[in-house]
C-alpha cells in the first residue's frame, strides 16, 4: 500500500476552490470583475489551476501504479486500472449531468429559457430555449454521457467543469503505456521538453492556455499529466530532498505561484505559471509530516478535508451556478436585480462567503452520500463478480 503524500491532498482542495471563484465571477459577481483586476488578476487566471490538477493526477497515478505497469502491460491489468478510475470519477459525473438534464426538462415543460446572470444578459445570451444552449445543448449530450466531450465538443457543454474530466479520462487510457517509457532514464528526459513545447504550441495558437475543447484540450491535459508522472520518477539525492523538504522551500514556491497569478496574462505568462505549478507539486511531494507553522497552515484537518471533497466541489459548483442562478431568477427576480446593482466590496465578500458555504455543504453531502458510496458499490460488485467467475 502506497502511503499518502502530505500537502498534495490540500493542494487539490486549494486548486478546486480557486476554480470555483473563477467560474463564480462570471455568474454571481460580474460587477466586480473589472474593479478587481485593478488590484490583482489572481481570480482571472483561475482557469490555470486545472493544469495543476493534471500535474497532480499524473504524479499520483505514477505513485500508486508505478509497480503495476513498470514491467508489463496486459489487457487485464489495463482494464482493471480503467475500471478503478471509472468507478472513481464516473458515478458523480453522471449524477451531476442527470441533475442538469432534469433541470432542462423542467425548464422545457415550463417554457423557461436560459439565464446566466447579468453578464450573459448584457452579451445578449439570455432566453435561449431549454436544451438549446449555450451550455446545456441536446446535441452535446451523448458525448457527455460517454465522457468524450472534452475532445469531441469544441465549446463548453453541460457541466462546464467536466471538460477537464473528459481529457483526463483519455489521459488515463494512455498512462499505463507511458510508465515503461518514463522509467527509461535516457528516454524519460524528453518528457519535460515535450511538456514545454506542447504548452508553447497551444499558447502560440490561442494566446493563452484557456483551451477547453478539441485535440488541443487533450494535448493540454496529457502534457501536464505526463510531466507529473515523470516527476515521480526523478531520483533525487538525500541532499536534494533535504534542500526541498522545509518550510522555506514550500513558502517560496507558493509565493512564486501566487505572485505569477497576480499578474495579467500576456505573452507566455500562462506557460510560466504552469511550469511553476509543476515545481509546486514536486516540492510539495518532498515534504514530510512536521509541526512547523507553514506546514501546518497548508496541511491540517481543514485543508485535508477540503482536498477530500475537492472532486465533489469541482463538479457541483458548476451545477449550483448554472441551475442556481436560473432558480433565483424564477423565484427571487427582484432580489436578484438588487444584488446585480451592488458594487461594495462588503457585499461581494458576503456573497462569496454564502456561496462557498453552500457549495461546501452540498459537496460534503455529495462526498459522503454519493461519491464514496457509489465508488465502493461499483468496486465491491466487481470483486464479487471476479470471485464468482475466477477464470
Amino acid at each position: 500500500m502506497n502511503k499518502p503524500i502530505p500537502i498534495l491532498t490540500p493542494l487539490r482542495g486549494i486548486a478546486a476552490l480557486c476554480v470555483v471563484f473563477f467560474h463564480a465571477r462570471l455568474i454571481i459577481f460580474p460587477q466586480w470583475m473589472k474593479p478587481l483586476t485593478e488590484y490583482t488578476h489572481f481570480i482571472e487566471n483561475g482557469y490555470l489551476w486545472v493544469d495543476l490538477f493534471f500535474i497532480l493526477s499524473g504524479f499520483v497515478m505514477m505513485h500508486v501504479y508505478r509497480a503495476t505497469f513498470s514491467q508489463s502491460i496486459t489487457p487485464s491489468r489495463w482494464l482493471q486500472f480503467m475500471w478503478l478510475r471509472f468507478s472513481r470519477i464516473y458515478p458523480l459525473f453522471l449524477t451531476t449531468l442527470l441533475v442538469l438534464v432534469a433541470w432542462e426538462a423542467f425548464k422545457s415543460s415550463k417554457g423557461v429559457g436560459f439565464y446566466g446572470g447579468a453578464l450573459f444578459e448584457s452579451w445578449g445570451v439570455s432566453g435561449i430555449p431549454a436544451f438549446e444552449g449555450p451550455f446545456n445543448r441536446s446535441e452535446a449530450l451523448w458525448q457527455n454521457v460517454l465522457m468524450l466531450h472534452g475532445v469531441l465538443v469544441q465549446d463548453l457543454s453541460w457541466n462546464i467543469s467536466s471538460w477537464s474530466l473528459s481529457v483526463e479520462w483519455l489521459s488515463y487510457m494512455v498512462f499505463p503505456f507511458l510508465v515503461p517509457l518514463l522509467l527509461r532514464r535516457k528516454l524519460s528526459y524528453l518528457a519535460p521538453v515535450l511538456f514545454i513545447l506542447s504548452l508553447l504550441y497551444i499558447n502560440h495558437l490561442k494566446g493563452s492556455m484557456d483551451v477547453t475543447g478539441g485535440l488541443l484540450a487533450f494535448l493540454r491535459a496529457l502534457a501536464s499529466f505526463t510531466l507529473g508522472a515523470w516527476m515521480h520518477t526523478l531520483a533525487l539525492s538525500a541532499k536534494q530532498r533535504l534542500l526541498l523538504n522545509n518550510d522555506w522551500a514550500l513558502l517560496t514556491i507558493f509565493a512564486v505561484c501566487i505572485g505569477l497569478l497576480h499578474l495579467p496574462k500576456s505573452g507566455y505568462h500562462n506557460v510560466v505559471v504552469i511550469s511553476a505549478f509543476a515545481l509546486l507539486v514536486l516540492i510539495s511531494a518532498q515534504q514530510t509530516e512536521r509541526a512547523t507553522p507553514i506546514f501546518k497552515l497548508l496541511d491540517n484537518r481543514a485543508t485535508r478535508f477540503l482536498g477530500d471533497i475537492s472532486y465533489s466541489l469541482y463538479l457541483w459548483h458548476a451545477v449550483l451556478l448554472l441551475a442556481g442562478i436560473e432558480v433565483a431568477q424564477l423565484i427571487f427576480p427582484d432580489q436578484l436585480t438588487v444584488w446585480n446593482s451592488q458594487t461594495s466590496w462588503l457585499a461581494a465578500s458576503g456573497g462569496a462567503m454564502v456561496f462557498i458555504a453552500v457549495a461546501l455543504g452540498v459537496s460534503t453531502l455529495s462526498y459522503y452520500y454519493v461519491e464514496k458510496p457509489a465508488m465502493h458499490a461499483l468496486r465491491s460488485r466487481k470483486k464479487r463478480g471476479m470471485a464468482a467467475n475466477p477464470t
Side-chain angles (χ1 to χ4, degrees):
M1 177 68 71
N2 293 287
K3 294 181 179 179
I5 304 172
I7 301 291
L8 295 193
T9 295
L11 199 56
R12 192 168 65 241
I14 293 168
L17 202 57
C18 290
V19 173
V20 169
F21 280 115
F22 172 72
H23 287 144
R25 87 197 200 290
L26 293 168
I27 309 295
I28 307 178
F29 308 103
Q31 62 268 45
W32 286 281
M33 284 174 58
K34 187 175 180 180
L36 187 60
T37 58
E38 295 177 7
Y39 301 97
T40 180
H41 285 259
F42 186 86
I43 302 298
E44 289 296 307
N45 290 321
Y47 60 90
L48 292 171
W49 289 96
V50 175
D51 298 274
L52 179 67
F53 281 131
F54 296 143
I55 298 169
L56 271 172
S57 184
F59 192 96
V60 171
M61 288 300 102
M62 184 63 90
H63 178 67
V64 175
Y65 294 103
R66 177 173 177 165
T68 303
F69 297 114
S70 60
Q71 299 299 322
S72 63
I73 305 163
T74 63
S76 61
R77 283 183 181 178
W78 184 86
L79 288 171
Q80 175 67 7
F81 168 73
M82 291 306 298
W83 172 256
L84 290 173
R85 301 319 305 155
F86 176 86
S87 62
R88 172 72 181 89
I89 66 175
Y90 193 74
L92 183 59
F93 163 69
L94 183 62
T95 301
T96 61
L97 179 61
L98 290 175
V99 168
L100 288 172
V101 170
W103 174 242
E104 287 299 298
F106 170 81
K107 286 167 56 182
S108 179
S109 69
K110 301 296 182 180
V112 176
F114 171 80
Y115 179 75
L119 183 62
F120 281 86
E121 197 168 33
S122 71
W123 292 341
V125 183
S126 187
I128 301 171
F131 291 106
E132 293 185 20
F135 304 118
N136 298 345
R137 307 185 303 275
S138 57
E139 70 270 15
L141 189 54
W142 70 267
Q143 297 95 326
N144 275 264
V145 171
L146 296 177
M147 230 164 23
L148 296 175
H149 52 294
V151 291
L152 297 183
V153 181
Q154 289 292 331
D155 300 320
L156 293 173
S157 61
W158 294 95
N159 189 323
I160 58 174
S161 298
S162 67
W163 73 268
S164 64
L165 192 63
S166 171
V167 290
E168 188 168 323
W169 171 246
L170 295 175
S171 298
Y172 291 151
M173 294 183 183
V174 178
F175 168 72
F177 304 99
L178 291 175
V179 174
L181 295 176
L182 294 174
L183 292 176
R184 293 182 185 178
R185 191 58 53 198
K186 293 182 179 179
L187 190 61
S188 72
Y189 285 101
L190 286 173
V193 175
L194 294 174
F195 163 77
I196 291 295
L197 290 176
S198 298
L199 266 56
L200 289 173
Y201 176 68
I202 296 170
N203 198 100
H204 174 72
L205 288 180
K206 300 296 183 178
S208 76
M209 292 300 299
D210 192 11
V211 180
T212 58
L215 291 178
L216 285 181
F218 178 48
L219 179 62
R220 175 186 177 184
L222 187 61
S224 292
F225 183 94
T226 303
L227 183 76
W230 170 77
M231 289 194 305
H232 189 274
T233 70
L234 293 176
L236 300 180
S237 66
K239 186 176 180 179
Q240 289 170 326
R241 291 182 183 277
L242 186 62
L243 189 65
L244 299 178
N245 182 20
N246 59 79
D247 279 10
W248 286 111
L250 200 55
L251 183 61
T252 299
I253 189 58
F254 260 98
V256 168
C257 290
I258 292 171
L260 288 170
L261 288 165
H262 171 73
L263 302 173
K265 66 177 181 183
S266 61
Y268 291 93
H269 164 268
N270 283 188
V271 177
V272 176
V273 172
I274 298 171
S275 300
F277 278 162
L279 287 175
L280 175 60
V281 172
L282 180 63
I283 293 172
S284 297
Q286 309 311 314
Q287 307 305 308
T288 53
E289 190 83 30
R290 57 183 182 271
T292 55
I294 299 301
F295 185 90
K296 284 301 179 185
L297 177 66
L298 296 171
D299 194 316
N300 52 64
R301 288 182 64 182
T303 58
R304 284 194 295 270
F305 179 71
L306 182 62
D308 288 339
I309 67 169
S310 61
Y311 181 51
S312 281
L313 179 62
Y314 187 72
L315 287 183
W316 279 112
H317 87 271
V319 177
L320 292 172
L321 287 171
L322 292 173
I325 195 70
E326 292 181 328
V327 171
Q329 175 67 4
L330 283 174
I331 302 177
F332 311 114
D334 294 336
Q335 289 84 344
L336 196 57
T337 300
V338 171
W339 168 256
N340 289 332
S341 68
Q342 300 299 308
T343 57
S344 76
W345 292 110
L346 182 62
S349 301
M353 290 175 64
V354 170
F355 178 70
I356 288 301
V358 172
L360 290 176
V362 171
S363 301
T364 299
L365 292 173
S366 168
Y367 177 69
Y368 285 113
Y369 297 106
V370 180
E371 185 181 336
K372 287 182 70 175
M375 180 183 70
H376 292 319
L378 285 176
R379 292 183 178 181
S380 297
R381 184 175 181 179
K382 177 73 171 178
K383 288 179 181 179
R384 288 196 299 270
M386 291 174 66
N389 301 281
T391 56

